[in-house]
Amino acid sequence: MPRPSTPAMAPLPTLPFAPAYPLRTERLDLRPVRHDDFAAIYAYQRRPEVCRYLYWGPHDEAGSRASVADKATRTTLTASGDFLQLAVVHRDTGTLVGDVTFFYTRHEHRQGGIGYVFNPEHAGLGYATEAARALLRLGFEELGLHRIQAELDGRNTASARLLERLGMRREGHLRENEFLDGEWSDEVIYAMLAREWRARQEQPTAP
């Protein structure tokens, strides 16, 4: 019997690749981080509750300045392992509400990842979900990725709910595989495939 045909894939993006900035959503602009974003980013990087489930922080002023300086260089993908780090700015007010990361993990296998950190003073308004959805669109529609995943601390239920709102699937739960803040913690993996993203885009919107 003949083997079933494999759906044609879009060609891999030519590297280096940089999206047309800013990435725009209904309310937000995602643009490269600038050095003058320091005050807004330091305002949440220094907060212990923001860094509780992350691998860094809370930052002092010097640490946050170094972080901002590094983020400002992350604007272009040149190879597997590169990533973009973008400020999330409310378009109408110009307020920086957080920053997001898009990981270009494996070029040949069309793999990517997303991450996000937001100022809790702007929580509950859907900004993180809106910005993360823009990263999924970038990965699937502009870069032609096959799979995008996100990893989080198993205790971070707010982040898990965000990923579920995006339609990402809970794929794995790794027990006590990380040692953070003096204790063992679980890691949870969520992911979405390109065909799942396309199916969600084809769903009719509520009136």
Side-chain angles (χ1 to χ4, degrees), residues 41-58:
I41 292 176
Y42 180 45
Y44 57 86
Q45 284 191 339
R46 65 188 178 190
R47 297 174 67 155
E49 68 272 26
V50 169
C51 310
R52 181 182 178 193
Y53 301 123
L54 303 176
Y55 293 111
W56 53 264

Side-chain angles (χ1 to χ4, degrees), residues 44 47 93 95-98 118-128:
Y44 57 86
R47 297 174 67 155
T93 65
T95 302
L96 191 155
V97 298
F118 278 76
N119 190 326
E121 292 184 3
H122 305 288
L125 299 172
Y127 295 150

Side-chain angles (χ1 to χ4, degrees), residues 130-203:
E130 191 171 324
R133 186 176 292 113
L135 296 185
L136 293 178
R137 182 173 293 108
L138 170 68
F140 289 127
E141 297 184 9
E142 293 193 43
L143 285 163
L145 297 187
H146 175 67
R147 184 176 185 276
I148 296 175
Q149 77 175 42
E151 305 92 24
L152 62 148
D153 188 294
R155 299 165 296 182
N156 194 347
T157 55
S159 185
R161 289 195 297 270
L162 185 158
L163 297 172
E164 289 163 3
R165 285 195 295 273
L166 293 172
M168 299 183 79
R169 286 173 292 98
R170 185 183 178 109
E171 286 194 341
H173 188 135
L174 311 180
R175 296 189 61 200
E176 297 188 12
N177 73 313
E178 298 178 315
F179 193 71
L180 297 174
D181 296 328
E183 62 180 319
W184 290 104
S185 64
D186 296 0
E187 182 179 23
V188 176
I189 299 170
Y190 279 80
M192 177 180 278
L193 299 177
R195 61 178 175 269
E196 295 168 333
W197 167 261
R198 290 192 296 269
R200 288 183 68 84
Q201 306 321 298
E202 293 166 1
Q203 291 175 359

Side-chain angles (χ1 to χ4, degrees), residues 48-117:
E49 68 272 26
V50 169
C51 310
R52 181 182 178 193
Y53 301 123
L54 303 176
Y55 293 111
W56 53 264
H59 281 329
D60 59 15
E61 182 174 342
S64 194
R65 286 193 185 280
S67 171
V68 170
D70 182 70
K71 289 177 186 294
T73 69
R74 307 294 184 175
T75 62
T76 303
L77 303 173
T78 60
S80 296
D82 284 351
F83 51 95
L84 307 175
Q85 293 198 291
L86 307 177
V88 180
V89 178
H90 190 279
R91 187 177 306 115
D92 291 342
T93 65
T95 302
L96 191 155
V97 298
D99 64 270
V100 295
T101 305
F102 179 86
F103 302 95
Y104 194 55
T105 51
R106 301 185 71 182
H107 179 74
E108 68 276 20
H109 298 299
R110 300 173 183 257
Q111 307 284 313
I114 61 172
Y116 37 82
V117 182

